[in-house]
Amino acid sequence: MNENIDRVDNPIIKIENLSIAYDKDKFAVKDINVEIEKNAVTAIMGPSGCGKSTLLRAINRMHELYPQIETKGDILLKDENIMDMSTIMLRRKIGMVFQRPNPFPTMSIYDNVIAGYKLNGIKLKKNDRDQIVEESLISVALWDEVKDTLFKKGSFLSGGQQQRLCIARTIAYKPDVILLDEPTSALDPIATARVEDLLVKLKKDYTIVLVTHNMSQAARISDKSMFMYMGNLIEYGNTMKMFTNPRNPKTEQYLTGKFG
Amino acid sequence: MSSATIQYNTRSDYRKRKNRLFYWLVIAMSAITVSPILLIVYKLIIQGYKQINWSFFTKVAPNTLEAMTANAQGEVIPGGILNGITGTFLIVVMAAIIAIPVGIMIGLFLYENQGKRFASIVRDISDILQGVPSIVLGLIAYMWVVKPVTHGFSALAGSVALAIMMLPLIIRSTEETMKMIPTSLKEAGLALGVPYYKVILRVLIPTGFSGLSTGILLAISRIIGETAPLMLTTLGSSAVNWDVTKPTSAIPLLVWEFYNDPNMANLIWSSSLFLMGFVLVLNIISKRIAAKQNR
């Protein structure tokens, strides 16, 4: 194991020898071994094309949508191999939020929050449904803004509200882990700040893994940081430590804005 | 005044004249383009409105004798086109029931398999199908349905012929609609652990619903006036028929029958007016839906 990659105290996810190729033998992610800390915010940083989104999307098996993508190695969630779980169970435990807010345009705000249950045909009593919707919207700080328009379409909300709605849709499932793929890159600074505050609050109940392009965002909200370059995991450890005292020269160059 | 300024003025006058000339030319061309449809509608209304009354929608087509008597006394021809309206309804609804699921499924298949060899062959064949003359489809339906299945002319055979005509239109519009839906929605559904087929049924199809329905309405308005394939398949009937295995009338077939009977001349116009009006309404509705979607 690379000495620049720290172990963590309380791992919830273990990634072992993970390699991912989009084309035969052209690896976008190369032999990564890393652990992710429970109830912390982990940021994955790196320049464009370094494989950070590819790594993130492997954690809930989104790559299976594209059969030509080849994945080697193992990912364990609470010591259980994710390849042995059904995608329904896995994705209930590991939720995902995308770069662009993508609420379902044909559904109301209420139905968007409950969409995971509804689309999978999981029956709930009306009281339970109402409670899940309310709790989820409260925890993303959207409840006060939308409680009077719950049955209107979610696509009329602003971009930032839509993104918080998407986070609510994910946490309505009560997952263990939330993966976020550059969740604020399509948002304005105020909306970004609200989502960041939210993520820091959410780590009490969830493990958060965040891909970000934005170094200062990683510095502001993450506890652990990964730095990736050309498909390799260069450095991983406490965010404070990495930003103040990077061990690998590449990390230092990236953090000081020499490239990326 | 220098000569340069004078020249400048004449040059600008020349440009203004040229501009005006082309402006009116464009308007004239546009008028020429829209005039056929206006003339058609005008002619149909002028010639046809007299026959459109309550019995036009509630009575079946008259026989020659009734029409002749009425003409001789200078009265409005009794009877209507009820057998045609019900027949067209039966044939088109059945054609839609056949073509919509098949067309949407093929469209989804093409969307899911962009750039694959088999899919592009299917797409090409569907494009070719669009160019097959409708009378040929009538012949095919005759061979496939009239002879072996219903053992005689039938509404079902006509529906099969019209369904084949609808297919390429529905396939294309489904594929184009699906392409316009962002992949992020598909991923949102999958990230919730929803199985792929359910993402298509519960997320993608509802999202593209207006596009799909526009395509279907346009396909229906394309086939509703088809006459040639129906002559070889449904034949026509003088009574209202709801049995899909029996010969059935249709509005365009009635127009043809009226045309062949000099006593019925007035009914040609009124039934054409009705058919034209119906197709226009379908077209306007589908344009409305499309506009709403793009907003």
Side-chain angles (χ1 to χ4, degrees):
Chain A
M1 215 163 173
N2 188 327
E3 74 281 2
N4 289 340
I5 297 170
D6 291 345
R7 305 202 65 123
V8 301
D9 305 328
N10 194 5
I12 183 166
I13 291 175
K14 288 180 192 157
I15 297 174
E16 294 172 354
N17 307 318
L18 183 75
S19 296
I20 300 163
Y22 283 98
D23 260 332
K24 271 242 160 297
D25 295 327
K26 274 169 124 183
F27 286 95
V29 163
K30 298 169 191 163
D31 199 24
I32 286 187
N33 286 284
V34 73
E35 296 169 340
I36 288 166
E37 172 88 339
K38 196 167 184 283
N39 290 71
V41 178
T42 302
I44 309 178
M45 298 181 293
S48 300
C50 70
K52 51 192 190 303
S53 290
T54 309
L55 172 63
L56 188 80
R57 292 163 68 93
I59 301 176
N60 70 345
R61 287 167 57 188
M62 284 305 276
H63 291 311
E64 280 170 27
L65 185 53
Y66 309 97
Q68 74 275 16
I69 298 178
E70 196 188 325
T71 309
K72 283 190 256 176
D74 293 311
I75 299 176
L76 309 176
L77 172 69
K78 293 179 173 168
D79 293 321
E80 191 184 351
N81 194 322
I82 62 164
M83 296 310 287
D84 299 336
M85 301 181 194
S86 72
T87 44
I88 297 184
M89 270 328 286
L90 171 68
R91 289 171 188 163
R92 279 194 75 166
K93 289 178 182 164
I94 305 184
M96 187 159 199
V97 176
F98 296 85
Q99 189 166 1
R100 296 198 156 272
N102 53 2
F104 299 120
T106 52
M107 295 183 193
S108 65
I109 293 171
Y110 185 97
D111 285 344
N112 257 293
V113 176
I114 210 83
Y117 295 93
K118 240 182 101 173
L119 294 176
N120 277 317
I122 300 167
K123 293 267 178 293
L124 289 174
K125 289 205 194 82
K126 191 175 181 304
N127 284 340
D128 294 343
R129 256 183 302 162
D130 290 347
Q131 199 188 344
I132 290 174
V133 169
E134 186 173 343
E135 279 173 4
S136 309
L137 288 173
I138 286 174
S139 52
V140 298
L142 199 57
W143 177 252
D144 288 333
E145 291 159 58
V146 301
K147 66 180 176 215
D148 301 321
T149 52
L150 278 181
F151 295 98
K152 285 201 179 143
K153 298 255 156 67
S155 43
F156 290 107
L157 298 173
S158 74
Q161 287 174 322
Q162 285 188 23
Q163 193 62 303
R164 279 182 281 145
L165 177 60
C166 292
I167 298 175
R169 178 173 68 190
T170 307
I171 62 180
Y173 247 177
K174 311 228 182 314
D176 296 324
V177 181
I178 305 175
L179 309 174
L180 301 104
D181 190 354
E182 301 192 33
T184 60
S185 65
L187 304 183
D188 64 68
I190 294 170
T192 299
R194 298 199 67 169
V195 170
E196 287 180 0
D197 290 347
L198 170 64
L199 294 179
V200 173
K201 251 180 27 204
L202 287 177
K203 78 177 177 191
K204 190 158 57 72
D205 300 311
Y206 307 94
T207 302
I208 289 168
V209 185
L210 163 87
V211 162
T212 179
H213 225 90
N214 182 335
M215 272 180 274
S216 40
Q217 180 171 61
R220 278 195 298 272
I221 63 173
S222 72
D223 305 298
K224 306 270 178 192
S225 289
M226 287 185 208
F227 173 64
M228 289 184 70
Y229 184 65
M230 307 267 285
N232 294 304
L233 180 59
I234 306 289
E235 189 165 341
Y236 174 54
N238 284 336
T239 302
M240 276 297 278
K241 220 171 104 193
M242 190 194 283
F243 273 78
T244 49
N245 190 13
R247 286 168 282 181
N248 187 297
K250 267 271 174 273
T251 317
E252 185 177 351
Q253 283 170 17
Y254 180 74
L255 292 176
T256 51
K258 299 255 165 55
F259 71 96
Chain B
M1 278 283 186
S2 71
S3 65
T5 321
I6 294 161
Q7 240 187 349
Y8 178 77
N9 279 339
T10 35
R11 178 107 191 111
S12 128
D13 282 348
Y14 168 69
R15 285 189 173 182
K16 273 184 188 153
R17 272 206 305 279
K18 199 162 74 172
N19 189 32
R20 213 170 300 141
L21 176 72
F22 275 92
Y23 177 74
W24 287 108
L25 208 63
V26 168
I27 286 188
M29 290 299 163
S30 316
I32 291 172
T33 315
V34 295
S35 58
I37 185 95
L38 294 179
L39 289 174
I40 290 169
V41 172
Y42 172 76
K43 180 77 179 166
L44 289 181
I45 291 175
I46 290 298
Q47 299 271 6
Y49 82 95
K50 273 178 275 157
Q51 285 290 328
I52 295 196
N53 47 32
W54 182 243
S55 68
F56 183 76
F57 300 104
T58 53
K59 295 228 169 68
V60 297
N63 60 35
T64 314
L65 195 67
E66 288 169 337
M68 200 161 71
T69 331
N71 276 337
Q73 291 166 351
E75 285 168 2
V76 171
I77 303 173
I81 56 163
L82 181 65
N83 51 338
I85 295 174
T86 56
T88 289
F89 180 78
L90 178 69
I91 295 165
V92 168
V93 164
M94 225 170 14
I97 290 173
I98 300 169
I100 290 172
V102 178
I104 288 183
M105 277 192 278
I106 298 177
L108 286 171
F109 170 78
L110 296 184
Y111 159 70
E112 288 297 331
N113 293 282
Q114 295 293 328
K116 296 222 179 103
R117 212 179 130 73
F118 182 62
S120 65
I121 293 173
V122 171
R123 190 178 300 112
D124 288 347
I125 290 175
S126 142
D127 287 348
I128 295 168
L129 191 59
Q130 198 163 2
V132 174
S134 58
I135 187 91
V136 175
L137 296 177
L139 272 173
I140 296 293
Y142 182 84
M143 299 301 294
W144 283 357
V145 184
V146 173
K147 291 193 86 178
V149 180
T150 53
H151 306 294
F153 295 106
S154 65
L156 182 65
S159 299
V160 169
L162 296 187
I164 300 175
M165 287 193 72
M166 283 175 83
L167 269 182
L169 297 163
I170 296 180
I171 292 172
R172 253 296 140 96
S173 71
T174 305
E175 190 187 357
E176 295 305 319
T177 306
M178 287 298 144
K179 273 199 215 159
M180 277 170 31
I181 299 175
T183 5
S184 61
L185 274 185
K186 196 158 83 175
E187 293 188 329
L190 292 168
L192 291 170
V194 183
Y196 201 71
Y197 76 95
K198 267 196 192 165
V199 172
I200 290 178
L201 288 179
R202 305 276 308 266
V203 177
L204 298 187
I205 289 184
T207 307
F209 183 75
S210 50
L212 297 183
S213 41
T214 307
I216 290 165
L217 284 180
L218 286 178
I220 289 176
S221 74
R222 254 306 305 286
I223 58 144
I224 204 167
E226 273 301 327
T227 324
L230 296 188
M231 287 174 162
L232 301 181
T233 51
T234 68
L235 193 67
S237 152
S238 53
V240 171
N241 169 48
W242 289 110
D243 183 347
V244 296
T245 63
K246 292 274 156 54
T248 309
S249 192
I251 303 170
L253 281 179
L254 281 179
V255 174
W256 171 244
E257 281 166 25
F258 296 150
Y259 174 81
N260 285 322
D261 188 333
N263 296 313
M264 309 257 203
N266 286 338
L267 279 171
I268 300 175
W269 299 105
S270 47
S271 11
S272 304
L273 175 62
F274 177 71
L275 193 59
M276 179 81 197
F278 198 80
V279 170
L280 267 182
V281 168
L282 279 184
N283 270 293
I284 291 169
I285 293 175
S286 62
K287 281 213 188 307
R288 277 283 170 85
I289 296 175
K292 209 171 162 192
Q293 181 191 21
N294 293 336
R295 213 174 326 121

